[in-house]
Structure formats: structure tokens, C-alpha cells
Amino acid sequence: MALVLHAGSTNKNAYKTLIAAEYTGVKVALAPNFEMGVSNKTPEFLKMNPIGKVPVLETPDGPIFESNAIARYVTRLKADNPLYGLSPIDYAHIEQWIDFGSLEIDANIGGWLRPRMGRAVYLPPAEEAVISALKRALGALNTHLASNTYLVGHCVTLADIVMACNLFMGFTKLMTKSFTSEFPHVERYFWTMVNQPNFKKVLGEVKQTDSVPAVQSAKKPAHPKEAAKPKAKEEPKKEAKKEPAKPKTNFREVAIKGFWEMYDPEGYSLWFCDYKYNDENTVSFVTLNKVGGFLQRMDLARKYAFGKMLVIGANPPYKVKGLWLFRGQEIPEFVMQECYDMELYEWTKVDLSDENQKERVNQMIEDQEPFEGEPLLDAKCFK
Ligand SMILES: N[C@@H](CCC(=O)N[C@@H](CS)C(=O)NCC(=O)O)C(=O)O
């Protein structure tokens, strides 16, 4: 009789047990008709796991929760299982890597993924902290794997199963090739593991994600991006100031149409700016401060300019791009001379006869997201 594992069929924590069961020759079957959020909230389920989380394994001796504990149990059903190492020191190292995989890898992948899926509050500095902790852990793992095919000894152990299942979430949901290429031994290790026949039976064909999911807006915290107000012929009033985002409905209809109606192409010119050193924008709040500083220094031009600055990207390095309206056909000379930030940007005059450029202006005014295929970290308005 198969042991029954309560979990959805795509749960990476359940994969740990299913793969260990393949290696061990133990029969484990997923509970039929399991429905996440329903089956695990029933009184019967809560008797097996009072926190109501999956996976849970039913055994003849009672239920077990916590995926690592379940995988250990299944592994120990076979005496002298090589998955558990051949000596006390191997055993200790297997436990070491199981803990490392759970606490240093999985916890940070989860801390990165949950806010992006709308399951926790998204805060850019918090995301940076988990990505940086994850990179630190992957760096250490990479160093170990530079001279080891497996985590412990010379064959697959439970440590590899747990580690690969934890990495699975990262590789399939968050860590693009450009992210993982910094850790070539981890890449080699992951692909070797998931292509082992016993892994493949459970995981099927694994494909690396080619993008980081955009933050689900429902739970995005107050992170107001300013709605631009067209000011073509008016005197701009104040320095950069935050306003709550306006609903996008009819924004294009009303505000953007209004902008073009008021825009005086003889008296003003529009310019795109592109930060020349985006590679340096590796820390979100430093990048945001840099843009904030630029807007403050542009205070001297507030009678002559209106601007919109976008900080773009799901991950560092962030791109900084902007749109500026200056009085006259050229960027005023004194702005070029007085505001040193100006030379940090590439300036391109908007060609209004080009519909694509005009559309890009609209998108920048509107804080369109995704912008050029990427989410916005922030949008700042100068007026
Ligand atoms: N440390 C637990 C984590 C279990 C866990 O977080 N399970 C998630 C699904 S992967 C869950 O059941 N969430 C439902 C809930 O939070 O109510 C383990 O490894 O089993």
C-alpha cells in the first residue's frame, strides 16, 4: 500500500519526498483530488497538521508534517540507505546541506518570490536584501560544487534532493540565465540533478525561467508613482513632489490628450534622457536617491522645464530614463552648466513626426507598466 502524501502535484516540498521515494523504492502516492486552500483547511487535515500547511504524509504510525522530516522518514524506511550517507560525518554533512538548502537558499528564494506573487508586501529594499543573501548562499554553494559533483560523497544523497528541489523554485520562477551564470557550478549541478532519471520521473522536463515575474499590483504597497500633469505652456510651480497615482482609466484620453493640445512645439522642445552608467545602479534606494538628487538640482530650471524620470527593472542594475520638456528648442545652456547630472545622461530630442517616439512620450507621462518590457521601480515627476 502506498503512503499518502497530501499536497498539490506541483509542490516542490512534496517533490523532495517523491524523489526520495523513487530512490528508496517506497511507494508514495499523492492524495487524490487534493485542492490547495480547501483540502488543507478541513478539520481532518488540521488534525494531521495544526498549521494547515502541506505537505503532510500519512503513515501507519500517524501523520508527519514538515517536508524535510517527511523526506527523512521515507529515506530511513530502507536500512543503510545510501541517500543518508555511509558514515557519521557523511550523515552530518547531509544534515548540514539540508539545513543550508532550507535556511539559506529556500528562505531567500521564498522571500523574493512571495511578494512578487502578491503573497506578501513588496518592498524594494527588502527584495534587495533577500537577493543579496541568496547570492551569498549561491556563492558559497558554487565554491563547494567547484570541486564536488554532489554535495556529500560520490553519489546522490538526500541533501542533493532537498537542495535541487529548493533550487527548482529559483530556476523555474526567478533566476534567469543571466542571474545564474554568475554561479556556473550551481548551474551544472542543478541541471545534472534534475536530469537524473529518478528526478525526471517526478519533475519532468525542467525549463529555466526567462524573466522575473512582475510584482502583482494588488498587494503592492503605497509606492506612489506620480501622475504627470501636462504643463506645456504654464509656468511650472514647484520642485519635484509626489502625488498619488491617478487611476489609469481615461488618463490617456484626458491628460495625455490635454498635454498634446496644450503643447506648443515652437516654444518648447521635448527630450529623452538615458542614464549613461546604468551598470552602476545595483542598489535600488541608491538609484532612487540619485534620481531624487537630480530632480532637486534641477530646481534652478523649474521655470523652464517639466520632467518625468523612470527607474526601470525588476532587478538590478536598474535603468534610469526620462522625458523632459524645456522652454526653447535647445536644452537651456545654464542648465547644462549648472546641473552636473546633465552630462551623466544621453540627451535625444524627441522627433514628433515619429509616431513611435510620440507613443514613448505618452508611455513615460503615463508611467506605463511594463515600460519597454520591464516593471517600474519608481516614477518621479518634476514640475
Ligand atoms: N516548512 C514547511 C513549509 C510548508 C509550506 O509553506 N507549505 C505551503 C505550500 S508550499 C502551504 O501549505 N501554504 C498554505 C498556507 O500557508 O496556508 C515544509 O517544508 O513543509
Side-chain angles (χ1 to χ4, degrees):
M1 268 267 287
L3 299 169
V4 175
L5 186 65
H6 296 260
S9 59
T10 57
N11 183 305
K12 66 106 171 100
N13 283 330
Y15 292 159
K16 298 174 188 173
T17 291
L18 295 172
I19 297 168
E22 291 292 339
Y23 276 96
T24 306
V26 169
K27 280 203 179 116
V28 175
L30 287 172
N33 309 322
F34 176 87
E35 208 183 321
M36 190 63 189
V38 179
S39 315
N40 55 319
K41 302 298 166 196
T42 61
E44 299 76 53
F45 187 94
L46 294 174
K47 269 189 216 148
M48 296 193 291
N49 182 0
I51 201 172
K53 290 191 179 192
V54 295
V56 165
L57 184 73
E58 278 188 77
T59 83
D61 300 310
I64 313 168
F65 56 85
E66 284 297 326
S67 60
N68 293 344
I70 300 169
R72 287 181 178 106
Y73 169 82
V74 166
T75 302
R76 284 193 178 126
L77 289 177
K78 178 170 151 184
D80 301 324
N81 191 339
L83 280 188
Y84 238 137
L86 303 170
S87 65
I89 190 70
D90 277 1
Y91 174 78
H93 285 152
I94 290 166
E95 292 295 346
Q96 163 195 295
W97 286 113
I98 290 177
D99 282 357
F100 184 91
S102 305
L103 302 170
E104 304 290 342
I105 303 280
D106 186 49
N108 289 314
I109 289 175
W112 183 4
L113 186 62
R114 274 189 301 275
R116 287 203 163 253
M117 303 311 284
R119 286 194 246 126
V121 173
Y122 171 76
L123 293 169
E127 177 170 272
E128 249 160 65
V130 290
I131 292 176
S132 146
L134 176 61
K135 284 188 167 182
R136 183 177 174 196
L138 290 173
L141 183 59
N142 196 54
T143 303
H144 180 74
L145 293 172
S147 50
N148 294 282
T149 307
Y150 303 98
L151 288 174
V152 182
H154 301 287
C155 62
V156 170
T157 66
L158 187 59
D160 297 306
I161 296 174
V162 171
M163 185 67 82
C165 289
N166 290 332
L167 288 171
F168 175 86
M169 282 304 280
F171 271 84
T172 57
K173 300 273 192 266
L174 291 163
M175 305 191 308
T176 57
K177 175 71 192 156
S178 75
F179 183 97
T180 56
S181 55
E182 213 183 299
F183 311 101
H185 304 294
V186 175
E187 285 182 330
R188 184 267 307 151
Y189 168 79
F190 178 72
W191 294 115
T192 306
M193 288 305 136
V194 298
N195 282 300
Q196 301 293 311
N198 283 332
F199 280 72
K200 247 182 151 169
K201 277 185 218 160
V202 174
L203 303 177
E205 208 61 52
V206 179
K207 195 178 158 291
Q208 186 162 17
T209 183
D210 47 24
S211 64
V212 178
V215 176
Q216 300 216 349
S217 50
K219 294 221 176 137
K220 210 167 166 177
H223 180 53
K225 278 179 269 147
E226 309 76 1
K229 274 192 194 149
K231 290 270 178 188
K233 287 182 188 166
E234 296 169 31
E235 297 255 300
K237 273 188 242 136
K238 274 186 233 135
E239 61 180 23
K241 161 175 120 187
K242 289 218 156 198
E243 286 173 16
K246 293 217 167 83
K248 292 271 159 79
T249 341
N250 287 335
F251 187 77
R252 197 166 268 243
E253 271 295 289
V254 180
I256 294 190
K257 200 159 155 254
F259 173 84
W260 291 115
E261 276 167 11
M262 281 199 289
Y263 181 68
D264 163 20
E266 314 268 281
Y268 290 81
S269 55
L270 277 164
W271 296 76
F272 291 128
C273 69
D274 210 333
Y275 192 64
K276 291 183 195 164
Y277 311 104
N278 284 323
D279 281 358
E280 293 170 5
N281 296 334
T282 53
V283 180
S284 66
F285 64 89
V286 176
T287 311
L288 296 174
N289 288 347
K290 192 158 27 182
V291 174
F294 174 37
L295 295 182
Q296 263 172 21
R297 286 183 283 278
M298 284 297 270
D299 196 33
L300 60 104
R302 65 196 170 89
K303 289 196 175 157
Y304 307 90
F306 156 78
K308 189 67 184 277
M309 296 296 294
L310 304 182
V311 183
I312 304 156
N315 292 308
Y318 302 101
K319 299 181 190 79
V320 178
K321 297 183 185 188
L323 170 75
W324 287 81
L325 175 85
F326 292 111
R327 200 184 272 177
Q329 291 309 307
E330 296 303 325
I331 300 176
E333 192 54 35
F334 79 94
V335 176
M336 291 306 275
Q337 278 171 8
E338 301 290 327
C339 182
Y340 74 83
D341 303 75
M342 295 299 285
E343 66 188 40
L344 306 177
Y345 292 82
E346 205 72 61
W347 292 91
T348 316
K349 193 171 189 177
V350 178
D351 175 2
L352 291 173
S353 64
D354 178 341
E355 282 307 314
N356 290 335
Q357 293 196 27
K358 233 173 138 177
E359 173 56 21
R360 191 168 188 261
V361 169
N362 291 343
Q363 293 180 1
M364 291 185 116
I365 293 177
E366 201 181 16
D367 304 352
Q368 182 170 295
E369 198 167 10
F371 180 78
E372 295 178 344
E374 291 187 273
L376 294 179
L377 180 66
D378 200 7
K380 288 183 191 292
C381 192
F382 174 89
K383 51 193 163 49

